Amino acid sequence: MSRKFLLLFIIVCFATPSFAGVRTNKGVHNIDDAVGQVVIKDGQKATAREEAKRLAYRDAIEKAMGASVAGIDQMEGYSSIRDRLVSNANGLVKNFKITNESIEGDTLTITGSCQVSERSLDGFLGPEVISMLGNPRVMILADKDSEKNAGLIENELGKIFEKAGYLIVDADQAKTLIALDPQKAFSDPEMLEGAAKTIKADIIVIGKATGGSSSFNRYGVKIYNVSASAQVKAVLTKTAYRISSQTVSAGKKNSLQGGVSGFLASCLDRAAEEIIYKIAYNLASAGSALGGITVNIKIANASFKEVEEIEEKLREFAGGNGHLFERSYENGMLEIDLVSGKTARNVASFLSDFTNVEGLTAQTINARMIRAAAAPIVETVGESKTINIRIENISDFESAIPVENLLRDFIGATGEVKSMFEGTALEVTITYAPGAKDTKSAQAIAMFLQKNDIRIDKVQDDSITAWRQPKGWFNF
């Protein structure tokens, strides 16, 4: 498969909103009406004036935030974000000038104008918004005209978006996009939505990078003219809204070593940085675009039988608007992504009813199933018992032998093991004679197979259907 389909991520795009009292020029928010109002205590006008200026700074920050992210003041967690930014107001607000000062009774009001650098604001606000969104997932594709630079596009854009806090969708899921033409994606919302549902992505990002060089001799030294350009486009898969940025770089080099590739990398970095937070701001402005916060949950020591019960409990907890994605189940470790309106702390509190929560961050939970100490179980069957096992996806008879031997070793002398291989399926029959002791149940056999790269599809008291996973398989 072409490398351009191998890196995955998530992002968003809309037109940047305006906000009352704010004029946004390139790179700066011009605040015309930052207001601070305080009560004068004990006739201390100078003290009141300083406090009013501090509150005017605070108002300027809030208005700059509103200009970047429409409706941010209505979002959960806004107060804590605002307070953290306000604590850095002196470094964010520049060129503050008092345009009006008045006193009515014992109330002093100051109105001022100032500037807030978009770049400085992004440094604080951007990561906060990405975290508030639950670290959205991103899929990155290389433009079809940039196939020879696909690796560079993957590496550079991947580093930028991952560092900013976006989550990476597992690369194996890109196989579903093998027929997706990135150019058609921007004009076909149904194609985007279908792809997004398949890979559980909300945003597709397409990177394009082109460059070249020419040479001439000067005083016997060969000089290279090197140029490069990059474009980064992002589209919200549900609505096909888009945002893009482009940058061009050129210069002279004494050597081509690191020349074109270095210019391309620089252009990609600058193009990504130009929109990386605007994407997040527009995603937040979209409200329910992601459908909630993504919380990654890992539960250790979970038996195969408990997986379905855990998932059902989480679905009920999340409610009708929640989404549950099983990432993997291997060696007793269940990994799930829960997308809902619940925070990680809410989810952890719920999980604590039947697990020990061992770790918690804003987007992740590590827990372990609670197990009571128990004596070894020795099963005895009163009558003969048969368990039928069918394992699919075995390439040949030679590959079936190790699987059969594993089962024979696990069952031991307590049961009779018979097998038959046909096509790509191994069928094993385990028979326990009346009175046999220390027998293995179908559930115990299923857990053993799961630990040996056999994916379990269905378990009943007398049967197991399974599927052999190729080496390195990641189970979804």
Side-chain angles (χ1 to χ4, degrees):
M1 189 194 326
S2 171
R3 286 172 59 84
K4 66 182 176 182
F5 293 112
L6 291 183
L7 187 61
L8 297 168
F9 288 87
I10 304 183
I11 313 178
V12 170
C13 21
F14 289 85
T16 302
S18 60
F19 193 80
V22 179
R23 294 177 292 108
T24 303
N25 295 339
K26 185 173 179 60
V28 65
H29 295 296
N30 293 295
I31 315 297
D32 297 325
D33 56 353
V35 178
Q37 189 176 73
V38 296
V39 174
I40 301 171
K41 296 181 179 179
D42 301 324
Q44 298 293 321
K45 292 183 181 179
T47 301
R49 183 176 291 106
E50 289 302 313
E51 177 63 14
K53 283 181 63 177
R54 189 185 70 81
L55 292 179
Y57 273 45
R58 179 189 184 103
D59 188 48
I61 294 295
E62 292 190 36
K63 286 174 176 173
M65 289 171 64
S68 295
V69 189
I72 189 172
D73 56 341
Q74 303 298 316
M75 297 175 189
E76 184 178 353
Y78 167 72
S79 296
S80 60
I81 292 176
R82 177 196 60 198
D83 292 344
R84 284 192 287 274
L85 261 73
V86 166
S87 66
N88 293 281
N90 288 337
L92 295 173
V93 176
K94 303 295 182 183
N95 303 321
F96 185 87
K97 296 179 181 178
I98 296 176
T99 56
N100 187 57
E101 180 177 338
S102 63
I103 298 176
E104 292 186 13
D106 59 355
T107 301
L108 170 66
T109 302
I110 282 179
T111 302
S113 65
C114 61
Q115 294 178 328
V116 177
S117 165
E118 287 186 9
R119 186 178 181 87
S120 299
L121 182 66
D122 286 347
F124 288 94
L125 181 60
E128 294 279 1
V129 171
I130 291 172
S131 178
M132 180 178 67
L133 289 169
N135 301 75
R137 298 176 179 272
V138 181
M139 179 183 72
I140 291 183
L141 298 174
D143 181 270
K144 65 180 181 180
D145 295 329
S146 302
E147 186 170 0
K148 67 178 181 179
N149 295 317
L152 182 67
I153 292 171
E154 292 174 3
N155 291 334
E156 292 303 317
L157 296 186
K159 286 189 297 185
I160 295 293
F161 283 109
E162 187 174 12
K163 184 178 179 180
Y166 293 97
L167 294 179
I168 303 173
V169 179
D170 190 88
D172 285 345
Q173 292 192 27
K175 295 175 182 178
T176 62
L177 290 171
I178 195 166
L180 176 62
D181 183 343
Q183 297 303 313
K184 291 181 180 179
F186 282 86
S187 59
D188 192 339
E190 291 185 5
M191 177 188 292
L192 286 175
E193 187 171 356
K197 287 179 180 177
T198 303
I199 64 169
K200 303 179 180 68
D202 295 275
I203 305 300
I204 293 176
V205 173
I206 298 178
K208 182 177 181 179
T210 57
S213 65
S214 60
S215 63
F216 61 94
N217 288 305
R218 176 177 292 176
Y219 309 118
V221 178
K222 197 170 188 178
I223 305 295
Y224 294 89
N225 284 321
V226 182
S227 63
S229 67
Q231 184 178 38
V232 178
K233 298 187 287 187
V235 60
L236 178 60
T237 53
K238 281 188 177 181
T239 61
Y241 281 112
R242 69 199 71 175
I243 189 170
S244 66
S245 66
Q246 185 165 351
T247 184
V248 177
S249 181
K252 292 182 173 63
K253 290 273 187 178
N254 292 330
S255 168
L256 273 183
Q257 184 177 3
V260 176
S261 61
F263 275 54
L264 284 172
S266 175
C267 288
L268 283 166
D269 290 353
R270 286 156 51 196
E273 288 174 353
E274 184 178 324
I275 66 169
I276 196 164
Y277 293 128
K278 288 182 174 63
I279 286 169
Y281 298 159
N282 285 294
L283 181 56
S285 299
S288 61
L290 280 180
I293 299 170
T294 300
V295 179
N296 178 258
I297 305 166
K298 292 180 180 177
I299 301 177
N301 201 29
S303 70
F304 178 78
K305 188 176 181 180
E306 290 171 322
V307 170
E308 188 173 348
E309 296 174 1
I310 293 170
E311 292 180 352
E312 185 60 33
K313 288 179 179 178
L314 285 170
R315 285 191 184 94
E316 291 180 4
F317 170 72
N321 294 324
H323 302 280
L324 196 70
F325 305 121
E326 182 179 328
R327 300 283 290 163
S328 67
Y329 175 71
E330 185 175 2
N331 296 329
M333 174 66 76
L334 173 64
E335 183 176 357
I336 292 173
D337 282 349
L338 179 66
V339 183
S340 68
K342 313 290 186 180
T343 65
R345 188 169 294 279
N346 297 149
V347 179
S349 178
F350 171 76
L351 290 174
S352 65
D353 289 342
F354 56 93
T355 71
N356 287 322
V357 176
E358 299 177 337
L360 173 68
T361 71
Q363 291 84 37
T364 64
I365 298 171
N366 291 308
R368 179 176 294 274
M369 291 298 294
I370 297 173
R371 290 279 183 267
I377 298 175
V378 177
E379 294 187 11
T380 302
V381 295
E383 300 178 355
S384 62
K385 180 179 179 180
T386 300
I387 298 175
N388 295 307
I389 305 170
R390 181 179 177 86
I391 304 174
E392 300 276 4
N393 198 39
I394 296 181
S395 58
D396 51 39
F397 177 70
E398 186 177 353
S399 300
I401 294 174
V403 179
E404 180 185 343
N405 289 339
L406 279 171
L407 282 168
R408 289 185 184 278
D409 292 342
F410 183 65
I411 298 302
T414 189
E416 182 182 5
V417 179
K418 294 182 179 181
S419 66
M420 180 180 72
F421 178 73
E422 183 176 359
T424 60
L426 174 65
E427 295 191 4
V428 180
T429 301
I430 299 171
T431 304
Y432 297 116
K437 296 181 179 180
D438 195 22
T439 62
K440 305 294 193 300
S441 66
Q443 287 75 21
I445 296 171
M447 286 296 298
F448 173 76
L449 291 172
Q450 181 77 41
K451 292 177 181 178
N452 287 277
D453 296 325
I454 306 295
R455 192 187 74 186
I456 305 301
D457 291 332
K458 186 176 182 180
V459 180
Q460 295 181 317
D461 288 342
D462 58 357
S463 66
I464 300 171
T465 56
W467 190 80
R468 189 183 186 194
Q469 299 175 163
K471 187 176 181 181
W473 179 268
F474 194 74
N475 182 27
F476 284 88

